Amino acid sequence: MADTYENYVDGEWRASETSETFEVTNPADTSEVVAEVQDSGESDANGAIEAAAAAREEWANTPGPARGKLLRETAKRMDDRREELTETLSREEGKTYSEASGEVGRAVNIFYYYAEKAMDYAGKRSKPSANDQNLYTVREPMGVAGLITPWNYPIAIPSWKMAPALATGNTVVCKLAGDAPTVFLKVTECLAEAAEAVDAPDGVVNVLTGSGSEVGQPIVTHDEVDAVSFTGSRSVGDMIYEQATDAHKRVQTELGSKNPTVVTDNADIEEAARTVGSAVFGVTGQACTATERAIVEESVHDEFVEELVDYAKSVDVGPGVEDPGMGPQVSESELDSTLESIETAKDEGATVEYGGGQPEGSEYENGHFVEPTVVTGLDSDATVMQEEVFGPFVGVLEASDTDEAIELANDVEFGLSAGIITDDHTEANRFVDEIDFGVVKVNGATTGLELHVPFGGMNASSSETYREQGEEGMDYFTIIKTVYDDY
Ligand code: NAD
C-alpha cells in the first residue's frame, strides 16, 4: 500500500481539515499508486499562513549562519536519501531515472549553496559624501513568503524558491502542484528533521498539497503574506500577478515559453540536430526551457530535418524508472493537450516528419506515452508555432539568412530561453545582442541551467520583476533599508 503524507504546518505533520486525500499515480502505469496526499482546503492554507506569520519575527532575528545551518542540515539528509528521492521523482513525474537523478542532485546543491550564502548576505557599505558618517544598506527579509510551484521540476523549483527565502530570514508557505508532490514532501521530512536538530522555531517552514483554487488562492491574497513567488502556466500566472499586486504584495511570476534555436548554414548539422533533439525531447519536452521552434537556414534545412528525424527515431520511449531515452507525460490531460496540438498542426498544414501519435504496444497501454514528434511546413504564426506545447514536439521553420532567423526567433510573445548553433562568432554575438530572451545559449541546448547564476524570462514568460537562482534569487526575498549614521 502506498504511504500517506500529511501537510507540514507549524512544526508538525497534520491531516487536512477537509479529511480528504487524493492519489498520486505513476504516469507510466496509472494502476500504480505512488502516494496518497492531502486534498487540503482554504482553512489549512490559512492555518499555515498564520503559523508562518507567528514565526516571522524570531526567524528574521536568527543570525544568517544559524539559518544556513537549517539549510545545510536539510541538504545532508537529502543527500543521504538521494536514491529514494530519485526513484520517487521518476515514478510520480515520469522523467527518466537519469533526468530525475540530475534534478535531485541539483536540489541538494541548491540547499548547500544557499546555506553558504546565508552566512554573508547582508547589504553593502558605501563612501559617504560627508566626513564622520557611516553610509550603508541593510537587507531585511520580506516576512512571509508564499511559494506556488508546478509539477515539471517538482523538487528543483520548490528548492530554488524555498532555500533563498529561508536563507534571507523569511518564513515560508509552499503549495506543491497536484501532480508529483511526493518528492518534495520527502524533502519536507528532511526539513522537519533538520529544523528539530537546529532548534528552528515552529512555523518557519509550512508545506501543503491541494488544489490551486483552495490552497493557492489564499496564499495569493492573505494579508499576512508579504511576497508571492509563482512558477507555472501563463494563464494562472497572469491572474495571480494581478491579484497579488492588487493586494499590494511583492510578486514574481515565471511562466511558460516558446523557445527557439537558430541553426546557421555553417554549423555542424549532425551535432546541431543532437543538440536541438536533446532540448526538444529531454524530460519529455516538459521543460519551460525546451526548444519548440527550430529555425534553420534554408541551405541546410533538409539535411537538418533528416538528422533530427534520425535523432527522434533513436529516442526509446518507456517507463522513467527503467531509464529509457524518454518517459511518459505526467498526466492524461498533458498527453491530451499534446495530441490536440499535433492535430491542430496538421489542420494548419503541417507535415509530420516523425511521430505524431502514441506509441503502440502492450507496455504503453496504461501510461501517458507519446511519440517524439517533428513537424515542418508551418508558418511562424501557426497556432502551434506560437503557443506552448508542453510535450516532445518541435516545428522546424526555414529562414533565408541569419537576419531572418533572428527575426523569427523573436517572433513570439514569450522570452525564456533561446539558442543559436553556429560556427561564426560574430553571428553568435549579434544573436546575443538582438534576442529578447532571458537565457541565451550559444552552441548549447536551451535546456539545462546552472544554479549559481540568475534565471528568468522576458516578455510573456515572466513578470520581469526579479530573477530566481544565484545570488540574485535572494534579492526577491529582501527589502533594502539605507542607513545614514552620523557620528
Ligand atoms: P499551472 O499554472 O497549472 O500550476 C502551477 C501551480 O499553480 C500549481 O501548484 C497549481 O496548483 C497552482 N494554481 C493553479 N491555479 C491556481 C490559482 N487559481 N491560484 C493559485 N494557485 C493556482 O502550471 P503547471 O501545469 O503546474 O506547470 C507547467 C507550466 O509551468 C508550463 O507552462 C511551464 O512552461 C511553466 N514553467 C515555467 C518555469 C519557469 O521558470 N519559467 C519553470 C517550470 C515550469
Side-chain angles (χ1 to χ4, degrees):
M1 231 187 55
D3 289 337
T4 300
Y5 290 81
E6 297 184 326
N7 295 324
Y8 184 67
V9 175
D10 203 13
E12 61 179 26
W13 293 94
R14 283 188 195 169
S16 163
E17 287 175 27
T18 63
S19 307
E20 303 285 328
T21 58
F22 65 91
E23 288 179 345
V24 179
T25 55
N26 179 345
D29 177 358
T30 53
S31 65
E32 183 193 330
V33 178
V34 178
E36 206 163 304
V37 303
Q38 304 301 307
D39 194 1
S40 315
E42 193 180 335
S43 61
D44 297 300
N46 289 338
I49 294 165
E50 280 149 28
R56 177 165 38 200
E57 200 173 325
E58 190 179 344
W59 189 242
N61 291 329
T62 300
R67 293 184 209 140
K69 208 166 164 200
L70 171 65
L71 302 182
R72 197 172 306 106
E73 288 299 318
T74 303
K76 277 191 212 161
R77 286 164 174 79
M78 289 166 69
D79 218 352
D80 289 345
R81 294 174 66 176
R82 226 175 236 261
E83 275 179 34
E84 178 198 346
L85 294 172
T86 300
E87 165 131 11
T88 302
L89 171 51
S90 178
R91 233 171 240 295
E92 70 175 344
E93 200 271 353
K95 60 184 67 178
T96 69
Y97 196 88
S98 302
E99 291 164 346
S101 167
E103 189 184 335
V104 169
R106 179 191 183 86
V108 172
N109 288 339
I110 287 169
F111 273 92
Y112 277 126
Y113 174 80
Y114 287 110
E116 297 310 305
K117 289 280 164 199
M119 297 210 289
D120 64 358
Y121 183 83
K124 70 175 189 207
R125 200 180 156 115
S126 296
K127 275 273 178 219
S129 303
N131 287 329
D132 305 329
Q133 188 185 61
N134 288 319
L135 180 61
Y136 60 96
T137 59
V138 182
R139 282 204 173 258
E140 296 193 341
M142 289 295 293
V144 174
L147 316 176
I148 302 177
T149 57
W151 51 263
N152 70 325
Y153 284 98
I155 181 168
I157 294 179
S159 298
W160 83 49
K161 291 186 189 296
M162 192 177 286
L166 292 172
T168 47
N170 298 270
T171 57
V172 299
V173 178
C174 180
K175 189 206 101 54
L176 304 172
D179 292 317
T182 320
V183 70
F184 202 80
L185 288 167
K186 290 186 181 215
V187 172
T188 309
E189 291 174 345
C190 299
L191 276 155
E193 280 177 30
E196 204 167 313
V198 306
D199 207 16
D202 291 341
V204 167
V205 174
N206 304 277
V207 179
L208 303 107
T209 49
S211 72
S213 53
E214 288 292 316
V215 184
Q217 276 295 293
I219 293 175
V220 179
T221 52
H222 197 294
D223 281 350
E224 295 283 8
V225 174
D226 301 286
V228 178
S229 180
F230 170 89
T231 299
S233 62
R234 181 183 178 185
S235 54
V236 176
D238 285 352
M239 184 183 74
I240 283 176
Y241 182 82
E242 276 196 21
Q243 291 171 336
T245 41
D246 280 353
H248 303 289
K249 297 185 192 314
R250 183 177 286 188
V251 57
Q252 165 186 58
T253 60
E254 292 299 334
L255 312 172
S257 191
K258 192 75 191 170
N259 305 302
T261 298
V262 166
V263 179
T264 66
D265 57 5
N266 51 43
D268 175 332
I269 297 304
E270 198 185 331
E271 198 170 325
R274 268 202 306 273
T275 304
V276 171
S278 73
V280 174
F281 308 124
V283 294
T284 321
Q286 300 175 132
C288 49
T289 49
T291 292
E292 295 195 17
R293 288 161 66 95
I295 300 160
V296 185
E297 289 189 25
E298 64 193 7
S299 62
V300 291
H301 173 272
D302 293 355
E303 185 189 351
F304 175 82
V305 171
E306 215 171 285
E307 292 288 352
L308 187 60
V309 165
D310 281 350
Y311 182 94
K313 282 181 186 160
S314 74
V315 175
D316 57 317
V317 179
V321 283
E322 290 172 18
D323 209 23
M326 191 176 92
Q329 293 220 236
V330 73
S331 65
E332 194 174 343
S333 62
E334 290 296 332
L335 170 66
D336 288 348
S337 162
T338 303
L339 294 172
E340 236 170 73
S341 295
I342 295 168
E343 287 313 307
T344 306
K346 286 192 214 159
D347 290 346
E348 293 188 353
T351 304
V352 177
E353 302 284 350
Y354 187 73
Q358 291 184 264
E360 283 172 12
S362 54
E363 68 271 38
Y364 300 122
E365 270 169 15
N366 291 330
H368 308 305
F369 295 98
V370 62
E371 293 171 322
T373 298
V374 179
V375 309
T376 56
L378 288 171
D379 289 334
S380 174
D381 60 2
T383 311
V384 295
M385 297 309 286
Q386 289 293 324
E387 292 176 2
E388 185 177 49
V389 180
F390 218 47
F393 173 93
V394 65
V396 185
L397 295 171
E398 215 170 298
S400 52
D401 54 21
T402 312
D403 282 342
E404 194 192 1
I406 296 176
E407 211 173 285
L408 286 171
N410 277 328
D411 182 31
V412 286
E413 287 183 307
F414 294 104
L416 188 53
S417 184
I420 185 166
I421 302 176
T422 181
D423 255 6
D424 182 331
H425 204 63
T426 308
E427 273 179 353
N429 282 335
R430 193 152 71 82
F431 184 77
V432 172
D433 284 347
E434 292 179 14
I435 196 78
D436 294 328
F437 280 67
V439 176
V440 187
K441 296 282 195 87
V442 175
N443 294 325
T446 50
T447 47
L449 302 165
E450 298 272 5
L451 64 91
H452 59 290
V453 287
F455 171 55
M458 291 183 181
N459 299 322
S461 290
S462 170
S463 55
E464 298 182 335
T465 34
Y466 285 84
R467 287 301 189 224
E468 298 200 277
Q469 307 196 57
E471 195 166 304
E472 287 79 357
M474 301 169 87
D475 296 348
Y476 177 71
F477 294 105
T478 56
I479 186 145
I480 294 177
K481 193 179 267 176
T482 310
V483 182
Y484 297 76
D485 167 19
D486 292 302
Y487 57 85

